[in-house]
Structures are given as structure tokens and as C-alpha cells.
Amino acid sequence: MSPTRWSKARDVVAAYVGLTKPRVIELLLLTTVPVMFFAQRGVPPLGLVVATVVGGTLSAGSANALNCVYDRDIDEQMRRTRRRALPRHVVSPLAALVFGVTLMVLSTLALGVWVNWLSAWLSVAANAFYLFGYTMVLKRRTTQNIVWGGVAGCFPALIGWTAVTGSLSWAPVVLFGVVFLWTPPHTWALAMRYREDYARVDVPMLPVVRPARVVARQIVLYSYAMVLVSLLLWPVAGTGLLYPVAAVVLGAAFLVEAHLMLARSRHSDELTVVRPMRLFHWSNMYLSLLFVAVALDPLTRPLV
């Protein structure tokens, strides 16, 4: 293969990978695998973890690819998304649609055959809600888009649990609630950074239609609710001391950062003053470390 053809082939492969939004997948898997450790009360079988990760990756990649197909019109106009494969016409909408549907079929079969069918159908439900509930109905119509649309991103906590136990219980529901309440502060902080993009395409994200101080106030309220729900895992699941200590420390740091953002936003809407990306980056750290604590808690109980 000539260097030119090799370069084009590499670009096409990279474009298809980009359709799956790998960074989003990483975050979803971060809430899946630790829950498997928690459900197992130790280290789950490696084969089961691999099967769940493969199925979950294909599932999330499918949802993200289909989202790109539907949103290609606004992605072309937004600075944050105009370098994606469809706006650059590296991949055609039909090809991306086929790719997304194929990934969905493969993910359902992988989870159903290698893990269990409850996990597979939960994955299908998450994808359906993300595509039809959030992308097609909520996103362009209401400021509550990410609040309820974020439900789809909470399913990995349930899938991780059912992959190990084959059933549901209150523990994964609590973790579902943590991710549900974490999503608005995380997403609104990012949306504040790109509010001009969303305004350009008439997507009514809360930071587009409300001043920064109102958004920051909502972020503080959701943050308190998130921290309180995170602490419920201790009595509900009978954790050791590692998890509640981590939840308190991480939650306190998150609340401090949310209040600092609220203070900065009281007298200005300027991004250089409000600095929403500080909260956005901390929100990633918070969720990562909290779920690491979820995974480590059963491993350290004999030592606590």
C-alpha cells in the first residue's frame, strides 16, 4: 500500500473510532468495572470483566455513533464538534448509521452470550434512552435535557452489578443515583465553557438561557444531593470504612469547588472570572476516585 493510501486508510479508521467518542466510553467503563469488584466482594473473574468491558465498549460506541448521525447538522456549526467525522465528510451518514447499528447488535450479543441477558437488555435500554429520549426529544427542546437525558449514562453502574450477580439490588441503584446527580454539574460546567456554540445552534442548555450565577446555584444544589446520595451506599451495602471516608473527603472537596464557582459567578458572567472548567475537571476526578474507592473497599475490609 502506498503512503498516500495508507494515510487515507488510517484517517478513515481514526474517523470511525472518533464516532464512538472514546473519552466518553472511558468514563462509562470507569463506573462499570469498579461496581463489578464491589458486587463480587473481591476480584471478579477476569473473563467476565473482559466480556463486560468489550460489550460495554461496543454498546457505548454504538450509542455515540448514532448520536453523531442525528446531530451532524449542529455538529457542523459548533466549534467543539466540527472536527468530527461527519462534519468533515470523512464518513457518510449512511455508513455511520450502519456502523452504529452493527455495534449495537454486536454489543447485545456479546453481553447476552458472554455475560447475561439482563445486562444485555439494560445496555439496550440505555442506548434507546440516549438516542430517542435525549438526542431526539430532550436535547433541542428543554433546559432539563441533560438532567433527564443523563439517565442513560447511569446504566453502567447497573450493568456492572448485574454482570456479576445476575440481579439488581439497592446498592447499584444508589450508585446510579450518584451518577445521575453528578451529570448536571459536570455537563453544565462544560456547557458554560461552550455556551456560544450551543446558542448558535439553538440547543437550550441551561448556561445558554440562564446567567452564570443561576447555573452555579443549580450546580451547588445538585452537588449537595450527589454527596448525600453517595453516603447512602455505606448503610445500604454495609461497606467498610474506606468508602465512606473517601465519599466524605471527595464530596467535601467537590462542594468547596462548587461554592467557589458560585462566589465567582455572583458579579460576572465572564468565563475568565467564573472558570467553569475548574469544576468540570474536578468532577472527572471526583467520579474517578469515588469509584476507585468502590472497587477497593471490599479488597481492604479485612484491613480496616
Side-chain angles (χ1 to χ4, degrees), residues 87-265:
R88 291 190 297 122
H89 306 289
V90 178
V91 177
S92 71
L94 178 59
L97 177 62
V98 171
F99 177 64
V101 172
T102 300
L103 290 183
M104 182 177 294
V105 172
L106 291 176
S107 69
T108 304
L109 291 175
L111 289 171
V113 174
W114 293 339
V115 182
N116 58 59
W117 285 103
L118 176 57
S119 298
W121 293 125
L122 285 172
S123 173
V124 171
N127 279 8
F129 191 85
Y130 181 67
L131 181 61
F132 298 109
Y134 172 66
T135 304
M136 293 185 176
V137 176
L138 295 170
K139 183 175 181 178
R140 308 190 193 200
R141 290 179 172 83
T142 172
T143 58
Q144 293 293 298
N145 48 18
I146 198 60
V147 176
W148 300 107
V151 167
C154 306
F155 273 78
L158 304 182
I159 294 169
W161 183 274
T162 58
V164 172
T165 66
S167 62
L168 286 169
S169 71
W170 283 111
V173 171
V174 170
L175 293 172
F176 180 103
V178 172
V179 180
F180 175 77
L181 294 165
W182 168 88
T183 301
H186 170 79
T187 308
W188 285 334
L190 182 66
M192 191 178 294
R193 167 67 178 81
Y194 292 101
R195 61 192 176 193
E196 292 181 3
D197 265 1
Y198 287 110
R200 186 179 299 116
V201 295
D202 295 322
V203 173
M205 299 295 286
L206 187 64
V208 173
V209 300
R210 295 289 186 270
R213 65 181 181 277
V214 173
V215 178
R217 193 177 303 125
Q218 288 294 309
I219 285 175
V220 167
L221 292 175
Y222 272 92
S223 299
Y224 272 103
M226 175 192 71
V227 173
L228 290 174
V229 170
S230 75
L231 294 173
L232 288 178
L233 190 64
W234 185 15
V236 165
T239 71
L241 290 179
L242 174 65
Y243 174 79
V245 169
V248 168
V249 172
L250 293 170
F254 197 106
L255 290 173
V256 167
E257 192 59 52
H259 275 285
L260 287 174
M261 180 176 166
L262 176 59
R264 294 192 299 267
S265 68

Side-chain angles (χ1 to χ4, degrees), residues 4 20 100 120 184 191 261 297:
T4 301
T20 67
M261 180 176 166
D297 184 83

